[in-house]
Amino acid sequence: MKTLKFKLYSHKRNRYLKRSINAAGVIYNHCIALHRRYYKMWGKHLSCTKLQSHIAKLRKHNPFWQSVGSQAVQDICQRIEKAYQLFFKYNKKGVRPPGFKKVKKYKSFTLKQAGYKFLGGNRVRIKNRVYQFWKSREIEGIVKTLTIKRTPLGELFMVVVVDNCPESEAQFTTGRIAGFDFGLKTFLTCSNGSLIESPQLFKQSLNAIKKASKQHSKKLKGSFNRERARKNLVRKYEDISNARRDWFWKLAHDLTNSFDVLCFETLNLKAMQRLWGRKISDLAFGEFLQILEWVAKKKGKQLIFVSQWYPSSKTCSNCGHVLEKLDLSIREWRCPSCQSVNGRDENAAKNICTVGASTVG
Ligand SMILES: [Zn+2]
């Protein structure tokens, strides 16, 4: 058994989940009241099955209660039952029976086999509505339960309990090798000619950060508003790094599914920073490579790093002719030896692939 926790994208739609949590709180309190009333009337414990069938009947005529799935309702009844059993067993040792809870503070509801479906990618359907979450890792194995949790800040998390997780992913081979070139405009250029652009989302988030940081610096030092602006800024930073990590994971899986051997140039981050300026840190190549390394290892795929001193841009991938120099601004060049036209990034990726391939054992 393993417990995985994912944050849900904040979205207007989340109010339905919060409503369900509130309703779960109301149902919980109703159950407690029923237990107490039953004991007063009959002098004995209300059984879990009786309680469940009674609540199920009430639920039929109550749309608010229906916002909690029948599975989640069963879960509430079972939890209360468990708490009572603990109380019966250990009351002499000071265990108290379950009591009422403030609905505002009620934290979660849990679904077992039904009421949700993973739709692939980072989407999950819960009671006819589709929600997205920050998919920080793959969900492997059989999903036992899904819990939606509300934090004191009002954020929602999805907690998934899985069983029978495989030790490592099934290894399969594609027989393919590829080289990749990192870039400013295009995140990765693949030797097969395909381009992987960084999502537009990042640029939007960067603008949001700029705005938030401007707001922050305008506020009076030590003021309540400044603290609020600071929190806002921190949140914006977290948003972008979460979104980026999410995308990195997805990309790492896509690439390792498509290729067996992936070749990159070793990164000289300092030199890249000199060439490209501050932006390099926004692109976080290093973070991506770490994730890719992890995923590749798990899938039995190979990462090969080609020395950064190898002239991958200046060498013609067609005939091997090496240029004296190649200005950074030149995006495309014609080889003086074989006359083929080389796109800068694709040519580099092809060379990285060739050199990488020659080192594969
Ligand atoms: Zn050439």
Side-chain angles (χ1 to χ4, degrees):
M1 292 266 236
K2 229 171 26 177
T3 305
L4 310 170
K5 193 173 169 188
F6 304 93
K7 190 173 173 194
L8 292 182
Y9 283 21
S10 37
H11 192 281
K12 256 203 233 152
R13 211 176 293 128
N14 289 2
R15 68 175 186 271
Y16 296 110
L17 295 176
K18 289 180 186 171
R19 194 165 172 259
S20 296
I21 294 174
N22 288 341
V26 169
I27 293 172
Y28 171 90
N29 283 332
H30 196 87
C31 290
I32 298 290
L34 279 174
H35 264 289
R36 292 188 180 178
R37 212 178 307 149
Y38 191 90
Y39 185 77
K40 238 183 235 166
M41 274 170 80
W42 309 102
K44 57 181 182 182
H45 175 62
L46 170 60
S47 79
C48 190
T49 39
K50 259 190 193 162
L51 176 67
Q52 275 180 358
S53 66
H54 181 72
I55 294 288
K57 254 184 246 156
L58 288 178
R59 198 169 154 270
K60 269 187 196 145
H61 312 287
N62 191 329
F64 180 52
W65 282 29
Q66 279 162 24
S67 69
V68 187
S70 56
Q71 291 248 329
V73 173
Q74 278 176 27
D75 184 69
I76 294 169
C77 295
Q78 284 160 6
R79 265 167 216 257
I80 293 174
E81 177 64 19
K82 235 187 230 166
Y84 267 111
Q85 292 306 332
L86 277 177
F87 165 63
F88 294 147
K89 214 168 160 188
Y90 298 112
N91 65 78
K92 287 200 183 82
K93 285 182 182 157
V95 171
R96 307 286 310 141
F100 294 106
K101 284 180 186 171
K102 280 208 175 100
V103 169
K104 272 249 158 90
K105 283 196 175 166
Y106 203 79
K107 287 194 215 88
S108 65
F109 68 87
T110 296
L111 301 168
K112 288 186 178 147
Q113 290 88 17
Y116 62 89
K117 189 168 190 228
F118 287 98
L119 303 173
N122 66 338
R123 293 166 351 125
V124 59
R125 188 172 62 220
I126 300 168
K127 287 198 55 95
N128 306 322
R129 287 192 182 86
V130 176
Y131 302 88
Q132 285 179 288
F133 55 95
W134 301 110
K135 194 173 186 183
S136 47
R137 54 194 298 186
E138 288 297 310
I139 301 169
E140 295 160 339
I142 298 158
V143 176
K144 289 300 206 188
T145 62
L146 182 149
T147 300
I148 298 296
K149 274 201 167 144
R150 173 169 60 188
T151 68
L153 259 176
E155 295 168 325
L156 292 181
F157 284 85
M158 176 176 78
V159 179
V160 182
V161 175
V162 289
D163 206 358
N164 290 340
C165 356
E167 274 306 300
S168 76
E169 290 188 23
Q171 298 188 1
F172 59 94
T173 52
T174 61
R176 281 194 294 246
I177 177 168
F180 298 89
D181 184 50
F182 282 113
L184 246 195
K185 254 185 86 211
T186 303
F187 185 74
L188 280 178
T189 304
C190 179
S191 54
N192 69 8
S194 61
L195 306 178
I196 296 154
E197 309 282 350
S198 353
Q200 196 61 32
L201 169 79
F202 296 173
K203 281 174 208 154
Q204 288 162 8
S205 322
L206 279 176
N207 287 335
I209 285 181
K210 265 186 213 145
K211 209 172 138 196
S213 116
K214 216 181 210 169
Q215 286 287 328
H216 174 242
S217 58
K218 264 199 264 172
K219 301 283 186 278
L220 200 66
K221 263 187 192 157
S223 70
F224 173 71
N225 280 336
R226 189 178 170 99
E227 174 59 13
R228 209 169 56 176
R230 186 191 66 82
K231 272 195 186 141
N232 185 39
L233 180 61
V234 169
R235 215 165 283 148
K236 288 278 181 325
Y237 269 115
E238 271 173 14
D239 283 352
I240 187 174
S241 69
N242 283 338
R244 190 166 53 198
R245 199 173 312 128
D246 207 45
W247 184 70
F248 284 168
W249 277 101
K250 204 183 151 297
L251 182 59
H253 278 286
D254 287 349
L255 292 180
T256 46
N257 285 344
S258 309
F259 304 102
D260 291 341
V261 183
L262 304 105
C263 311
F264 293 86
E265 234 170 352
T266 49
L267 293 182
N268 185 347
L269 289 174
K270 280 258 163 62
M272 283 168 124
Q273 214 147 17
R274 267 204 304 279
L275 279 174
W276 293 345
R278 191 192 63 89
K279 261 200 171 163
I280 186 86
S281 53
D282 300 334
L283 295 169
F285 295 132
E287 187 187 353
F288 171 67
L289 283 178
Q290 266 180 5
I291 290 174
L292 184 65
E293 237 168 351
W294 194 86
V295 172
K297 196 174 164 203
K298 225 178 148 208
K299 290 186 178 172
K301 304 294 174 114
Q302 214 177 338
L303 282 196
I304 287 179
F305 289 93
V306 170
S307 157
Q308 68 198 57
W309 307 117
Y310 172 73
S312 58
S313 299
K314 289 192 289 191
T315 305
C316 171
S317 60
N318 189 38
C319 70
H321 179 83
V322 183
L323 296 178
E324 285 276 310
K325 64 180 194 125
L326 181 65
D327 206 74
L328 200 69
S329 60
I330 293 167
R331 306 306 306 163
E332 208 177 71
W333 52 279
R334 183 182 288 275
C335 173
S337 171
C338 73
Q339 302 299 315
S340 63
V341 178
N342 296 317
R344 185 191 185 95
D345 298 337
E346 192 185 334
N347 180 59
K350 277 183 182 160
N351 284 327
I352 292 168
C353 182
T354 309
V355 175
S358 69
T359 66
V360 176

